[in-house]
Short mmCIF file of all heavy atoms in Angstrom, two decimals:
data_model
loop_
_atom_site.label_atom_id
_atom_site.label_comp_id
_atom_site.label_asym_id
_atom_site.label_seq_id
_atom_site.Cartn_x
_atom_site.Cartn_y
_atom_site.Cartn_z
N MET B 20 0.86 -1.16 0.03
CA MET B 20 0.03 -0.03 0.01
C MET B 20 0.88 1.27 0.00
O MET B 20 1.91 1.27 0.63
CB MET B 20 -0.89 -0.02 1.25
CG MET B 20 -1.85 1.18 1.26
SD MET B 20 -3.05 1.16 2.58
CE MET B 20 -4.10 -0.17 2.07
N VAL B 21 0.44 2.29 -0.70
CA VAL B 21 1.15 3.54 -0.77
C VAL B 21 0.99 4.31 0.52
O VAL B 21 -0.10 4.40 1.09
CB VAL B 21 0.62 4.34 -1.97
CG1 VAL B 21 1.28 5.72 -2.00
CG2 VAL B 21 0.81 3.61 -3.25
N GLU B 22 2.06 4.94 0.98
CA GLU B 22 2.06 5.78 2.15
C GLU B 22 2.34 7.22 1.68
O GLU B 22 3.25 7.45 0.87
CB GLU B 22 3.07 5.36 3.20
CG GLU B 22 3.05 6.27 4.40
CD GLU B 22 4.03 5.82 5.50
OE1 GLU B 22 4.90 4.94 5.23
OE2 GLU B 22 3.91 6.36 6.62
N VAL B 23 1.58 8.17 2.21
CA VAL B 23 1.80 9.58 1.85
C VAL B 23 1.99 10.33 3.19
O VAL B 23 1.14 10.39 4.04
CB VAL B 23 0.53 10.15 1.11
CG1 VAL B 23 0.83 11.63 0.75
CG2 VAL B 23 0.18 9.32 -0.12
N LEU B 24 3.22 10.85 3.34
CA LEU B 24 3.51 11.72 4.49
C LEU B 24 3.10 13.10 4.15
O LEU B 24 3.55 13.71 3.16
CB LEU B 24 5.07 11.64 4.73
CG LEU B 24 5.67 10.30 4.99
CD1 LEU B 24 7.19 10.45 5.11
CD2 LEU B 24 5.09 9.60 6.19
N THR B 25 2.14 13.67 4.91
CA THR B 25 1.56 14.92 4.59
C THR B 25 1.61 15.91 5.72
O THR B 25 1.86 15.55 6.87
CB THR B 25 0.05 14.74 4.23
OG1 THR B 25 -0.66 14.48 5.45
CG2 THR B 25 -0.21 13.69 3.24
N LYS B 26 1.47 17.20 5.39
CA LYS B 26 1.43 18.29 6.34
C LYS B 26 -0.03 18.70 6.61
O LYS B 26 -0.24 19.73 7.23
CB LYS B 26 2.21 19.46 5.84
CG LYS B 26 3.69 19.22 5.79
CD LYS B 26 4.58 20.34 5.22
CE LYS B 26 4.03 21.64 5.24
NZ LYS B 26 4.94 22.72 4.69
N GLY B 27 -0.98 17.94 6.14
CA GLY B 27 -2.38 18.21 6.39
C GLY B 27 -3.04 18.99 5.33
O GLY B 27 -2.46 19.27 4.27
N PRO B 28 -4.32 19.40 5.56
CA PRO B 28 -5.13 20.03 4.55
C PRO B 28 -4.64 21.40 4.06
O PRO B 28 -4.99 21.87 3.04
CB PRO B 28 -6.47 20.13 5.21
CG PRO B 28 -6.25 20.03 6.66
CD PRO B 28 -5.03 19.22 6.83
N SER B 29 -3.77 22.03 4.81
CA SER B 29 -3.24 23.36 4.41
C SER B 29 -2.11 23.22 3.39
O SER B 29 -1.73 24.22 2.78
CB SER B 29 -2.69 24.12 5.65
OG SER B 29 -1.60 23.42 6.18
N CYS B 30 -1.69 21.99 3.11
CA CYS B 30 -0.66 21.75 2.12
C CYS B 30 -1.31 21.39 0.77
O CYS B 30 -1.94 20.34 0.61
CB CYS B 30 0.22 20.55 2.59
SG CYS B 30 1.38 19.95 1.34
N VAL B 31 -1.19 22.34 -0.17
CA VAL B 31 -1.87 22.22 -1.45
C VAL B 31 -1.38 21.00 -2.22
O VAL B 31 -2.18 20.22 -2.80
CB VAL B 31 -1.67 23.55 -2.27
CG1 VAL B 31 -2.21 23.34 -3.66
CG2 VAL B 31 -2.23 24.70 -1.59
N GLN B 32 -0.08 20.80 -2.24
CA GLN B 32 0.44 19.60 -2.95
C GLN B 32 0.06 18.30 -2.31
O GLN B 32 -0.17 17.29 -2.96
CB GLN B 32 2.01 19.73 -3.08
CG GLN B 32 2.47 20.80 -4.07
CD GLN B 32 3.89 20.64 -4.41
OE1 GLN B 32 4.42 19.55 -4.54
NE2 GLN B 32 4.57 21.77 -4.59
N CYS B 33 -0.05 18.30 -0.99
CA CYS B 33 -0.46 17.12 -0.23
C CYS B 33 -1.92 16.74 -0.62
O CYS B 33 -2.26 15.60 -0.94
CB CYS B 33 -0.39 17.32 1.24
SG CYS B 33 1.28 17.71 1.90
N THR B 34 -2.75 17.78 -0.62
CA THR B 34 -4.16 17.59 -0.98
C THR B 34 -4.32 17.13 -2.41
O THR B 34 -5.08 16.19 -2.75
CB THR B 34 -4.96 18.91 -0.76
OG1 THR B 34 -4.82 19.28 0.60
CG2 THR B 34 -6.42 18.74 -1.12
N ALA B 35 -3.57 17.73 -3.37
CA ALA B 35 -3.61 17.33 -4.74
C ALA B 35 -3.13 15.87 -4.91
O ALA B 35 -3.74 15.13 -5.73
CB ALA B 35 -2.72 18.28 -5.59
N THR B 36 -2.14 15.50 -4.15
CA THR B 36 -1.67 14.08 -4.23
C THR B 36 -2.70 13.11 -3.75
O THR B 36 -3.00 12.11 -4.44
CB THR B 36 -0.34 13.97 -3.44
OG1 THR B 36 0.65 14.77 -4.04
CG2 THR B 36 0.11 12.52 -3.43
N THR B 37 -3.29 13.32 -2.63
CA THR B 37 -4.26 12.37 -2.07
C THR B 37 -5.50 12.41 -2.93
O THR B 37 -6.10 11.32 -3.16
CB THR B 37 -4.61 12.65 -0.59
OG1 THR B 37 -5.08 14.05 -0.46
CG2 THR B 37 -3.38 12.47 0.30
N ARG B 38 -5.90 13.51 -3.45
CA ARG B 38 -7.07 13.60 -4.36
C ARG B 38 -6.85 12.77 -5.63
O ARG B 38 -7.70 12.04 -6.10
CB ARG B 38 -7.35 15.06 -4.70
CG ARG B 38 -8.67 15.21 -5.50
CD ARG B 38 -9.01 16.70 -5.76
NE ARG B 38 -9.21 17.33 -4.44
CZ ARG B 38 -8.86 18.59 -4.22
NH1 ARG B 38 -8.27 19.38 -5.11
NH2 ARG B 38 -9.14 19.17 -2.99
N LYS B 39 -5.66 12.91 -6.19
CA LYS B 39 -5.28 12.17 -7.40
C LYS B 39 -5.31 10.67 -7.12
O LYS B 39 -5.79 9.85 -7.94
CB LYS B 39 -3.94 12.62 -7.96
CG LYS B 39 -3.50 11.97 -9.25
CD LYS B 39 -4.28 12.45 -10.45
CE LYS B 39 -3.69 11.93 -11.71
NZ LYS B 39 -4.46 12.36 -12.87
N LEU B 40 -4.68 10.25 -6.02
CA LEU B 40 -4.68 8.83 -5.66
C LEU B 40 -6.09 8.26 -5.51
O LEU B 40 -6.37 7.16 -5.99
CB LEU B 40 -3.83 8.60 -4.40
CG LEU B 40 -2.35 8.76 -4.53
CD1 LEU B 40 -1.69 8.74 -3.18
CD2 LEU B 40 -1.72 7.70 -5.40
N LYS B 41 -6.97 9.03 -4.87
CA LYS B 41 -8.37 8.63 -4.77
C LYS B 41 -9.01 8.47 -6.11
O LYS B 41 -9.72 7.50 -6.42
CB LYS B 41 -9.15 9.59 -3.87
CG LYS B 41 -8.82 9.57 -2.42
CD LYS B 41 -9.53 10.64 -1.65
CE LYS B 41 -9.03 10.70 -0.20
NZ LYS B 41 -9.62 11.83 0.53
N ALA B 42 -8.82 9.47 -6.98
CA ALA B 42 -9.38 9.43 -8.31
C ALA B 42 -8.91 8.22 -9.13
O ALA B 42 -9.62 7.69 -9.96
CB ALA B 42 -9.09 10.73 -9.06
N LEU B 43 -7.66 7.84 -8.88
CA LEU B 43 -7.07 6.69 -9.65
C LEU B 43 -7.42 5.34 -9.00
O LEU B 43 -7.16 4.31 -9.56
CB LEU B 43 -5.53 6.86 -9.70
CG LEU B 43 -5.00 7.98 -10.57
CD1 LEU B 43 -3.52 8.19 -10.24
CD2 LEU B 43 -5.24 7.74 -12.01
N GLY B 44 -8.03 5.40 -7.83
CA GLY B 44 -8.40 4.16 -7.15
C GLY B 44 -7.21 3.44 -6.48
O GLY B 44 -7.25 2.22 -6.25
N VAL B 45 -6.17 4.17 -6.17
CA VAL B 45 -4.95 3.63 -5.55
C VAL B 45 -5.23 3.58 -4.07
O VAL B 45 -5.56 4.59 -3.46
CB VAL B 45 -3.69 4.46 -5.88
CG1 VAL B 45 -2.53 3.93 -5.15
CG2 VAL B 45 -3.48 4.42 -7.36
N ASP B 46 -4.99 2.40 -3.44
CA ASP B 46 -5.01 2.26 -1.99
C ASP B 46 -3.85 2.99 -1.36
O ASP B 46 -2.69 2.74 -1.77
CB ASP B 46 -5.07 0.82 -1.55
CG ASP B 46 -6.33 0.11 -1.90
OD1 ASP B 46 -7.38 0.82 -1.98
OD2 ASP B 46 -6.31 -1.13 -2.09
N PHE B 47 -4.10 3.84 -0.39
CA PHE B 47 -3.06 4.57 0.29
C PHE B 47 -3.51 4.91 1.70
O PHE B 47 -4.67 4.83 2.07
CB PHE B 47 -2.67 5.84 -0.47
CG PHE B 47 -3.70 6.94 -0.39
CD1 PHE B 47 -3.62 7.95 0.56
CD2 PHE B 47 -4.78 6.92 -1.28
CE1 PHE B 47 -4.58 8.92 0.62
CE2 PHE B 47 -5.72 7.92 -1.22
CZ PHE B 47 -5.63 8.93 -0.28
N PHE B 48 -2.51 5.27 2.52
CA PHE B 48 -2.86 5.83 3.81
C PHE B 48 -1.93 7.01 4.09
O PHE B 48 -0.82 7.13 3.53
CB PHE B 48 -2.72 4.82 4.96
CG PHE B 48 -1.27 4.26 5.21
CD1 PHE B 48 -0.48 4.82 6.19
CD2 PHE B 48 -0.79 3.26 4.41
CE1 PHE B 48 0.78 4.33 6.42
CE2 PHE B 48 0.48 2.77 4.61
CZ PHE B 48 1.24 3.35 5.59
N GLU B 49 -2.46 7.99 4.79
CA GLU B 49 -1.75 9.23 5.14
C GLU B 49 -1.15 9.14 6.52
O GLU B 49 -1.73 8.60 7.41
CB GLU B 49 -2.71 10.43 5.12
CG GLU B 49 -3.20 10.79 3.75
CD GLU B 49 -4.09 12.00 3.81
OE1 GLU B 49 -3.61 13.11 4.14
OE2 GLU B 49 -5.32 11.87 3.55
N THR B 50 0.09 9.65 6.62
CA THR B 50 0.75 9.80 7.87
C THR B 50 1.19 11.24 8.05
O THR B 50 1.70 11.81 7.16
CB THR B 50 2.03 8.91 7.88
OG1 THR B 50 1.62 7.52 7.60
CG2 THR B 50 2.73 8.92 9.23
N ASP B 51 0.90 11.82 9.19
CA ASP B 51 1.26 13.20 9.50
C ASP B 51 2.77 13.34 9.58
O ASP B 51 3.47 12.48 10.13
CB ASP B 51 0.66 13.68 10.80
CG ASP B 51 -0.83 13.91 10.68
OD1 ASP B 51 -1.33 14.19 9.60
OD2 ASP B 51 -1.57 13.77 11.75
N LEU B 52 3.25 14.41 9.05
CA LEU B 52 4.69 14.75 9.15
C LEU B 52 4.94 15.35 10.55
O LEU B 52 5.25 16.52 10.66
CB LEU B 52 5.11 15.65 8.00
CG LEU B 52 5.55 15.02 6.74
CD1 LEU B 52 5.70 16.01 5.63
CD2 LEU B 52 6.84 14.24 6.99
N ASP B 53 4.82 14.53 11.54
CA ASP B 53 5.17 14.99 12.88
C ASP B 53 6.67 14.91 13.01
O ASP B 53 7.41 14.66 12.06
CB ASP B 53 4.46 14.14 13.95
CG ASP B 53 4.80 12.63 13.88
OD1 ASP B 53 5.76 12.26 13.18
OD2 ASP B 53 4.04 11.88 14.48
N GLU B 54 7.21 15.12 14.23
CA GLU B 54 8.62 15.20 14.44
C GLU B 54 9.35 13.90 13.97
O GLU B 54 10.37 13.96 13.30
CB GLU B 54 8.92 15.47 15.93
CG GLU B 54 10.36 15.78 16.17
CD GLU B 54 10.58 16.26 17.62
OE1 GLU B 54 9.81 17.12 18.06
OE2 GLU B 54 11.51 15.73 18.19
N THR B 55 8.79 12.74 14.33
CA THR B 55 9.33 11.45 14.01
C THR B 55 9.37 11.24 12.44
O THR B 55 10.39 10.89 11.86
CB THR B 55 8.66 10.30 14.66
OG1 THR B 55 8.69 10.50 16.06
CG2 THR B 55 9.21 8.98 14.29
N ASN B 56 8.28 11.52 11.85
CA ASN B 56 8.12 11.27 10.43
C ASN B 56 8.82 12.30 9.64
O ASN B 56 9.23 12.05 8.47
CB ASN B 56 6.66 11.14 9.98
CG ASN B 56 6.09 9.84 10.45
OD1 ASN B 56 6.68 8.76 10.30
ND2 ASN B 56 4.92 9.85 11.09
N LEU B 57 9.00 13.49 10.15
CA LEU B 57 9.77 14.55 9.49
C LEU B 57 11.25 14.07 9.35
O LEU B 57 11.85 14.19 8.29
CB LEU B 57 9.73 15.87 10.24
CG LEU B 57 10.53 17.00 9.61
CD1 LEU B 57 10.02 17.33 8.19
CD2 LEU B 57 10.39 18.27 10.47
N GLN B 58 11.76 13.48 10.42
CA GLN B 58 13.13 12.97 10.37
C GLN B 58 13.19 11.79 9.37
O GLN B 58 14.17 11.64 8.62
CB GLN B 58 13.57 12.51 11.79
CG GLN B 58 14.99 12.10 11.78
CD GLN B 58 15.97 13.16 11.35
OE1 GLN B 58 15.89 14.30 11.84
NE2 GLN B 58 16.84 12.88 10.34
N ARG B 59 12.16 10.97 9.33
CA ARG B 59 12.13 9.84 8.39
C ARG B 59 12.20 10.41 6.96
O ARG B 59 12.93 9.86 6.11
CB ARG B 59 10.84 9.13 8.61
CG ARG B 59 10.73 7.84 7.83
CD ARG B 59 9.52 7.06 8.37
NE ARG B 59 9.00 6.22 7.32
CZ ARG B 59 7.73 6.09 7.00
NH1 ARG B 59 6.82 6.60 7.80
NH2 ARG B 59 7.36 5.30 6.02
N ALA B 60 11.44 11.45 6.68
CA ALA B 60 11.42 12.04 5.34
C ALA B 60 12.83 12.60 5.00
O ALA B 60 13.34 12.39 3.87
CB ALA B 60 10.35 13.17 5.23
N LYS B 61 13.42 13.25 5.98
CA LYS B 61 14.74 13.81 5.76
C LYS B 61 15.77 12.70 5.52
O LYS B 61 16.66 12.82 4.68
CB LYS B 61 15.18 14.65 6.92
CG LYS B 61 14.48 15.99 7.02
CD LYS B 61 14.93 16.82 8.26
CE LYS B 61 14.20 18.13 8.35
NZ LYS B 61 14.60 18.85 9.53
N ASP B 62 15.66 11.62 6.25
CA ASP B 62 16.51 10.43 6.08
C ASP B 62 16.41 9.87 4.66
O ASP B 62 17.36 9.30 4.15
CB ASP B 62 16.29 9.39 7.11
CG ASP B 62 16.64 9.78 8.53
OD1 ASP B 62 17.43 10.77 8.70
OD2 ASP B 62 16.22 9.10 9.47
N LEU B 63 15.22 10.02 4.05
CA LEU B 63 15.03 9.54 2.68
C LEU B 63 15.54 10.60 1.67
O LEU B 63 15.53 10.33 0.44
CB LEU B 63 13.55 9.26 2.45
CG LEU B 63 12.95 8.04 3.15
CD1 LEU B 63 11.44 8.06 2.99
CD2 LEU B 63 13.61 6.81 2.63
N GLY B 64 15.92 11.79 2.13
CA GLY B 64 16.47 12.80 1.32
C GLY B 64 15.47 13.82 0.84
O GLY B 64 15.76 14.63 -0.07
N HIS B 65 14.34 13.92 1.55
CA HIS B 65 13.31 14.83 1.11
C HIS B 65 13.17 15.99 2.10
O HIS B 65 13.26 15.82 3.30
CB HIS B 65 11.93 14.14 0.99
CG HIS B 65 11.94 12.97 0.01
ND1 HIS B 65 12.12 13.21 -1.32
CD2 HIS B 65 11.97 11.67 0.20
CE1 HIS B 65 12.19 12.00 -1.94
NE2 HIS B 65 12.06 11.07 -1.00
N THR B 66 12.88 17.20 1.52
CA THR B 66 12.74 18.36 2.36
C THR B 66 11.42 19.09 2.12
O THR B 66 11.20 20.20 2.59
CB THR B 66 13.92 19.36 2.18
OG1 THR B 66 13.95 19.71 0.81
CG2 THR B 66 15.24 18.75 2.62
N SER B 67 10.59 18.48 1.26
CA SER B 67 9.25 19.11 0.97
C SER B 67 8.17 18.01 1.02
O SER B 67 8.46 16.83 0.94
CB SER B 67 9.28 19.83 -0.38
OG SER B 67 9.55 18.88 -1.39
N ALA B 68 6.95 18.51 1.17
CA ALA B 68 5.84 17.56 1.28
C ALA B 68 4.95 17.68 0.04
O ALA B 68 4.99 18.70 -0.66
CB ALA B 68 5.07 17.88 2.55
N PRO B 69 4.19 16.66 -0.21
CA PRO B 69 4.15 15.38 0.48
C PRO B 69 5.30 14.47 0.07
O PRO B 69 5.96 14.71 -0.93
CB PRO B 69 2.88 14.75 -0.03
CG PRO B 69 2.76 15.25 -1.44
CD PRO B 69 3.31 16.67 -1.35
N VAL B 70 5.56 13.43 0.86
CA VAL B 70 6.49 12.37 0.51
C VAL B 70 5.67 11.15 0.21
O VAL B 70 4.88 10.73 1.06
CB VAL B 70 7.52 12.10 1.58
CG1 VAL B 70 8.40 10.96 1.23
CG2 VAL B 70 8.38 13.38 1.86
N VAL B 71 5.79 10.61 -0.99
CA VAL B 71 5.03 9.48 -1.39
C VAL B 71 6.01 8.26 -1.35
O VAL B 71 7.08 8.31 -1.91
CB VAL B 71 4.45 9.63 -2.82
CG1 VAL B 71 3.69 8.37 -3.21
CG2 VAL B 71 3.57 10.86 -2.90
N ILE B 72 5.55 7.22 -0.65
CA ILE B 72 6.39 5.98 -0.58
C ILE B 72 5.60 4.83 -1.16
O ILE B 72 4.54 4.47 -0.64
CB ILE B 72 6.78 5.69 0.90
CG1 ILE B 72 7.45 6.90 1.53
CG2 ILE B 72 7.66 4.45 1.00
CD1 ILE B 72 7.68 6.77 3.03
N ALA B 73 6.07 4.31 -2.29
CA ALA B 73 5.37 3.25 -3.02
C ALA B 73 5.72 1.90 -2.35
O ALA B 73 6.66 1.75 -1.63
CB ALA B 73 5.85 3.26 -4.44
N PRO B 74 4.87 0.87 -2.60
CA PRO B 74 5.11 -0.46 -2.07
C PRO B 74 6.45 -1.02 -2.41
O PRO B 74 6.99 -1.84 -1.63
CB PRO B 74 3.98 -1.29 -2.60
CG PRO B 74 2.89 -0.28 -2.94
CD PRO B 74 3.59 0.96 -3.34
N ASN B 75 6.96 -0.63 -3.54
CA ASN B 75 8.24 -1.24 -4.02
C ASN B 75 9.49 -0.51 -3.40
O ASN B 75 10.61 -0.82 -3.68
CB ASN B 75 8.35 -1.21 -5.51
CG ASN B 75 8.41 0.21 -6.12
OD1 ASN B 75 8.36 1.19 -5.41
ND2 ASN B 75 8.41 0.30 -7.44
N GLY B 76 9.17 0.52 -2.52
CA GLY B 76 10.25 1.21 -1.86
C GLY B 76 10.66 2.52 -2.58
O GLY B 76 11.39 3.34 -1.95
N GLU B 77 10.15 2.71 -3.78
CA GLU B 77 10.45 3.99 -4.46
C GLU B 77 9.74 5.11 -3.70
O GLU B 77 8.67 4.95 -3.15
CB GLU B 77 9.85 3.90 -5.89
CG GLU B 77 10.06 5.16 -6.75
CD GLU B 77 9.47 5.01 -8.11
OE1 GLU B 77 8.79 4.05 -8.40
OE2 GLU B 77 9.65 6.00 -8.90
N HIS B 78 10.39 6.28 -3.68
CA HIS B 78 9.80 7.40 -2.97
C HIS B 78 10.17 8.70 -3.66
O HIS B 78 11.22 8.79 -4.34
CB HIS B 78 10.28 7.43 -1.53
CG HIS B 78 11.71 7.30 -1.34
ND1 HIS B 78 12.58 8.35 -1.36
CD2 HIS B 78 12.51 6.23 -1.13
CE1 HIS B 78 13.82 7.98 -1.24
NE2 HIS B 78 13.81 6.68 -1.02
N TRP B 79 9.31 9.69 -3.49
CA TRP B 79 9.53 11.03 -4.04
C TRP B 79 8.72 12.03 -3.26
O TRP B 79 7.86 11.70 -2.46
CB TRP B 79 9.15 11.08 -5.54
CG TRP B 79 7.70 10.88 -5.79
CD1 TRP B 79 6.75 11.86 -5.84
CD2 TRP B 79 7.02 9.65 -6.07
NE1 TRP B 79 5.51 11.31 -6.14
CE2 TRP B 79 5.67 9.95 -6.28
CE3 TRP B 79 7.45 8.38 -6.17
CZ2 TRP B 79 4.71 8.98 -6.58
CZ3 TRP B 79 6.49 7.35 -6.44
CH2 TRP B 79 5.14 7.70 -6.66
N SER B 80 9.08 13.33 -3.48
CA SER B 80 8.33 14.40 -2.79
C SER B 80 7.66 15.26 -3.83
O SER B 80 8.09 15.35 -5.00
CB SER B 80 9.25 15.17 -1.87
OG SER B 80 10.22 15.80 -2.63
N GLY B 81 6.58 15.87 -3.41
CA GLY B 81 5.87 16.79 -4.26
C GLY B 81 4.72 16.13 -5.03
O GLY B 81 4.60 14.86 -5.01
N PHE B 82 3.89 16.89 -5.70
CA PHE B 82 2.81 16.37 -6.49
C PHE B 82 3.34 16.03 -7.88
O PHE B 82 3.83 16.87 -8.61
CB PHE B 82 1.70 17.44 -6.62
CG PHE B 82 0.57 17.05 -7.47
CD1 PHE B 82 -0.14 15.88 -7.23
CD2 PHE B 82 0.23 17.78 -8.60
CE1 PHE B 82 -1.25 15.55 -8.00
CE2 PHE B 82 -0.84 17.44 -9.41
CZ PHE B 82 -1.55 16.31 -9.11
N ASP B 83 3.30 14.73 -8.20
CA ASP B 83 3.87 14.21 -9.46
C ASP B 83 2.78 13.35 -10.09
O ASP B 83 2.81 12.06 -9.89
CB ASP B 83 5.15 13.48 -9.20
CG ASP B 83 5.91 13.11 -10.49
OD1 ASP B 83 5.25 12.97 -11.58
OD2 ASP B 83 7.16 13.00 -10.43
N PRO B 84 1.90 13.92 -10.92
CA PRO B 84 0.78 13.17 -11.50
C PRO B 84 1.27 11.90 -12.32
O PRO B 84 0.62 10.85 -12.26
CB PRO B 84 0.07 14.15 -12.42
CG PRO B 84 0.47 15.46 -11.91
CD PRO B 84 1.82 15.31 -11.34
N GLY B 85 2.35 12.05 -13.05
CA GLY B 85 2.86 10.92 -13.86
C GLY B 85 3.21 9.73 -12.98
O GLY B 85 2.89 8.57 -13.31
N ARG B 86 3.92 10.00 -11.90
CA ARG B 86 4.32 8.92 -11.06
C ARG B 86 3.12 8.32 -10.34
O ARG B 86 3.08 7.10 -10.09
CB ARG B 86 5.37 9.39 -9.99
CG ARG B 86 6.73 9.57 -10.69
CD ARG B 86 7.70 10.09 -9.65
NE ARG B 86 8.86 9.21 -9.57
CZ ARG B 86 9.93 9.40 -8.87
NH1 ARG B 86 9.99 10.51 -8.16
NH2 ARG B 86 10.92 8.61 -8.89
N LEU B 87 2.19 9.15 -9.98
CA LEU B 87 0.97 8.65 -9.29
C LEU B 87 0.16 7.74 -10.23
O LEU B 87 -0.33 6.69 -9.83
CB LEU B 87 0.08 9.81 -8.85
CG LEU B 87 0.75 10.72 -7.76
CD1 LEU B 87 -0.16 11.96 -7.46
CD2 LEU B 87 0.98 9.97 -6.47
N GLU B 88 0.08 8.12 -11.51
CA GLU B 88 -0.58 7.29 -12.50
C GLU B 88 0.12 5.93 -12.67
O GLU B 88 -0.51 4.92 -12.86
CB GLU B 88 -0.70 8.03 -13.83
CG GLU B 88 -1.67 9.19 -13.76
CD GLU B 88 -1.64 10.10 -14.94
OE1 GLU B 88 -0.93 9.88 -15.92
OE2 GLU B 88 -2.39 11.16 -14.88
N GLN B 89 1.45 5.94 -12.55
CA GLN B 89 2.19 4.63 -12.58
C GLN B 89 1.76 3.69 -11.48
O GLN B 89 1.77 2.49 -11.67
CB GLN B 89 3.64 4.92 -12.58
CG GLN B 89 4.19 5.53 -13.88
CD GLN B 89 5.68 5.84 -13.83
OE1 GLN B 89 6.33 5.70 -12.78
NE2 GLN B 89 6.21 6.26 -14.92
N LEU B 90 1.43 4.29 -10.37
CA LEU B 90 1.05 3.48 -9.18
C LEU B 90 -0.29 2.74 -9.50
O LEU B 90 -0.58 1.69 -8.92
CB LEU B 90 0.91 4.29 -7.97
CG LEU B 90 2.15 4.90 -7.37
CD1 LEU B 90 1.88 5.81 -6.20
CD2 LEU B 90 3.14 3.76 -6.94
N ALA B 91 -1.11 3.37 -10.34
CA ALA B 91 -2.42 2.78 -10.67
C ALA B 91 -2.33 1.74 -11.74
O ALA B 91 -3.28 0.96 -11.95
CB ALA B 91 -3.38 3.88 -11.10
N ALA B 92 -1.22 1.72 -12.46
CA ALA B 92 -1.10 0.73 -13.61
C ALA B 92 -0.91 -0.70 -13.13
O ALA B 92 -0.53 -0.98 -12.11
CB ALA B 92 0.11 1.17 -14.45
#
């Protein structure tokens, strides 16, 4: 299942990402970027939200419609 580390509803890219995943029918869960998960995102090399973590271990940050569509394929 896809995990999306988000900053909540005030994050435009986070909202766009979760909306796109829902529209594509991709199963995902959201995790708040609290202190622990912020460090986790940084350890993965990301400094912006959202951070998307695919089941195969691939990860990226930001709203990337092309990559999100690949998750639905």
Side-chain angles (χ1 to χ4, degrees):
M20 183 175 290
V21 175
E22 181 177 12
V23 183
L24 303 175
T25 72
K26 289 176 26 178
S29 63
C30 171
V31 175
Q32 289 195 36
C33 300
T34 302
T36 297
T37 57
R38 187 177 296 145
K39 181 73 171 178
L40 288 170
K41 288 176 188 172
L43 293 168
V45 174
D46 289 334
F47 71 95
F48 65 98
E49 290 182 68
T50 304
D51 288 333
L52 271 169
D53 59 14
E54 191 173 311
T55 301
N56 288 314
L57 180 59
Q58 187 58 51
R59 188 170 152 222
K61 287 179 180 180
D62 290 346
L63 291 172
H65 302 291
T66 58
S67 62
V70 175
V71 179
I72 304 171
N75 66 1
E77 180 182 4
H78 50 85
W79 66 89
S80 61
F82 177 59
D83 190 332
R86 286 178 124 174
L87 297 173
E88 289 169 5
Q89 288 177 355
L90 294 174

